[in-house]
Amino acid sequence: MSLSAIDWTILVPAFVAGLLVIATHVPLGTQVLARGIVFIDLAIAQIAGCGVLLADQLGFEPEGIAVQIAALVAALGGALLLTWTERVWPDVQEAVIGVVFILAATGSVLLLASNVHGSEHLRDLLVGQILWVSARSLVWAALIYAGILALWFGARERIGRIGFYLLFALAVTISVQLVGVYLVPPLATRRMHRGRLAAAWGLGVAGYAAGLVVSTALDLPTGPTIVWVLVVLASVWYATSPSSQRQVEAAS
């Protein structure tokens, strides 16, 4: 498919969905890196996905409020669990997060074992349907994300560990509904001291935009293509950024 044949009425809402996800996951992601719990986003996203699948198994409408509540309750429960494990077993928190992710992932498979459309549901859960995101979903996501960002930048010193986990769980729940489990922007800016947020936001925006165009032009699955483009851009940035070059020179 040529670029001239791209349907921008589909790509623009999908790109806006990516912008919304980037807006929240980049600043919260810096805290994830600072805590050394880099897989928490995937773990909570997968738990939220289990909530979605459970609501689907119980017969609730896919776009209904019950599914949103199920995803949120599952994610909040996972966040509170990880808050407790961080306090009790701080030295193995990353391993605990890995175990939780595996349990949630295999739980999703078990929930879909008797569903004739199980593989399709699982694929949609993992990579999302970003090309078919609705304007209504974008509006609600924007309002919730705005509240999350206001709390994070205005009160992050006061909300504490539990507040961080709960905010992160809420952000991930909305993200899963928009773009699936795996479309979380990577951060290649962890060693930057100045302009770190701006650089990470810029990488995320470029990755989503390029991924959407490449997937449409080459007729590839959108979610996985965006993931690969994000990682490629982040790797190039990390390899060519001045901070990384200084570290190589210091080590040689």
Side-chain angles (χ1 to χ4, degrees):
M1 182 185 296
S2 65
L3 293 180
S4 60
I6 290 177
D7 189 345
W8 296 101
T9 62
I10 294 177
L11 287 194
V12 170
F15 180 60
V16 172
L19 293 181
L20 292 176
V21 171
I22 291 164
T24 52
H25 282 269
V26 165
L28 293 176
T30 59
Q31 183 67 17
V32 166
L33 289 176
R35 290 173 176 266
I37 46 177
V38 295
F39 293 113
I40 187 177
D41 49 358
L42 287 178
I44 292 182
Q46 193 72 62
I47 293 171
C50 278
V52 172
L53 294 177
L54 181 60
D56 180 70
Q57 287 289 90
L58 295 175
F60 292 105
E61 291 293 326
E63 302 297 329
I65 187 64
V67 172
Q68 311 300 321
I69 293 174
L72 180 58
V73 169
L76 291 178
L80 291 174
L81 171 64
L82 293 175
T83 301
W84 177 75
T85 59
E86 184 182 23
R87 186 174 66 251
V88 177
W89 302 306
D91 54 328
V92 292
Q93 177 69 351
E94 185 71 359
V96 170
I97 291 172
V99 171
V100 170
F101 169 74
I102 294 299
L103 288 174
T106 52
S108 298
V109 175
L110 292 174
L111 283 171
L112 293 171
S114 60
N115 191 321
V116 294
H117 301 293
S119 60
E120 180 181 343
H121 285 310
L122 187 58
R123 182 196 63 198
D124 292 343
L125 172 66
L126 294 177
V127 300
Q129 293 184 342
I130 191 172
L131 289 182
W132 313 115
V133 65
S134 67
R136 179 183 177 185
S137 298
L138 291 176
V139 171
W140 278 109
L143 292 174
I144 296 172
Y145 281 151
I148 291 172
L149 290 173
L151 282 172
W152 178 248
F153 286 111
R156 62 181 169 183
E157 300 299 330
R158 298 192 297 273
I159 62 176
R161 181 177 61 239
I162 293 179
F164 163 72
Y165 274 107
L166 294 180
L167 278 182
F168 197 80
L170 179 57
V172 169
T173 301
I174 303 302
S175 301
V176 168
Q177 301 298 300
L178 285 178
V179 299
V181 171
Y182 290 156
L183 287 192
V184 177
L187 295 178
T189 59
R190 63 189 180 94
R191 292 195 176 102
M192 291 182 65
H193 299 288
R194 280 194 257 178
R196 181 182 181 184
L197 280 180
W201 272 321
L203 279 172
V205 171
Y208 267 87
L212 282 169
V213 173
V214 169
S215 68
T216 306
L218 301 180
D219 196 23
L220 295 172
T222 305
T225 303
I226 293 175
V227 170
W228 276 86
V229 171
L230 279 168
V231 171
V232 169
L233 288 180
S235 299
V236 171
W237 169 274
Y238 186 75
T240 59
S241 63
S243 58
S244 296
Q245 292 174 358
R246 284 196 298 270
Q247 286 192 347
V248 172
E249 293 171 357
S252 60

